[in-house]
Amino acid sequence: MKRIAVVMAMSAEASPVLTALSAEAATGVAPLVVRWFTATRHRSEILIALNGRDRRFGVDSIGTEPAALSTYVAIDRFRPDVVISAGTAGGWERAGGVIGDVYVSDGCVVHHDRRIAIEGFREYGIGAYPVLPARQMAATLGLKTGIVTTSNSLDENDDDRLLISASGAAVKDMEAAAVAYVCEQMSVPFMALKAITDLVDHPIATADQFNANLSMASKRLSEKLLEVLDWLIPRERGDMS
Ligand code: ADE
């Protein structure tokens, strides 16, 4: 794979990998939507597309809308062979989650906050977007595998829990399904790589766990993302299973 786009939401999540790749900021690319960084690795072009900073609130633009915009711009202008949604995520003690573990998406990526009880739209709401087969890569690189489920909330409510338990998801984030949706519509292979900062069924508040573990998990994410890039670069699109 000669062109790999990595879509990320928070600058703190991206900081270790930008340093490790000696990535350089690109200017003039849809500055209200994204902050682009580029790097070369083993003669492949790597794009790190950060989903920008909110103009009014001044915070990193987390969540599905910025992720979809950013992914669209990345595919339209960079024409990647593969898109990786990389970042931190929540897990569950009940699903064997451990803070600092890194997961690669397996099976599909779903939404757990889009409940549409109308014929045909139920499945549209859940999404179940395809992901690249990555079990062999996961076994070699020591990654966990699981279904990634997305919503725009850090916590989970009782309705979310019903859809999460129906999908059997192991990882909970705020972007992967939006990135995967755009990838499916634009016929670009997709994978998610997520490092766990918090366990949402643990008695300590999710936000407190997230803040305490963000830096450590971002370093773990960077280490594994480099290994994933090195795995993908020599391979062809159909050469993953
Ligand atoms: N990113 C890190 N922790 C998360 C959580 N609990 N839910 C969604 N996204 C997250």
Side-chain angles (χ1 to χ4, degrees), residues 24-77:
E24 291 184 4
T27 50
V29 190
L32 294 182
V33 178
V34 291
R35 286 166 61 216
W36 271 21
F37 296 82
T38 54
T40 307
R41 192 164 176 90
H42 311 311
R43 280 193 251 128
S44 281
E45 296 294 310
I46 313 296
L47 167 69
I48 310 282
L50 286 193
N51 300 346
R53 195 161 287 154
D54 188 274
R55 290 182 74 184
R56 189 148 65 89
F57 297 99
V59 296
D60 288 333
S61 298
I62 63 174
T64 54
E65 289 89 347
L69 280 174
S70 175
T71 305
Y72 181 81
V73 174
I75 294 174
D76 188 49
R77 308 227 182 139

Side-chain angles (χ1 to χ4, degrees), residues 88-90 153-154 172-174 197-198 200 206 210:
T88 59
S153 299
L154 190 71
K172 172 180 180 299
D173 87 333
M174 298 174 75
T197 47
D198 53 89
V200 281
T206 303
F210 175 79

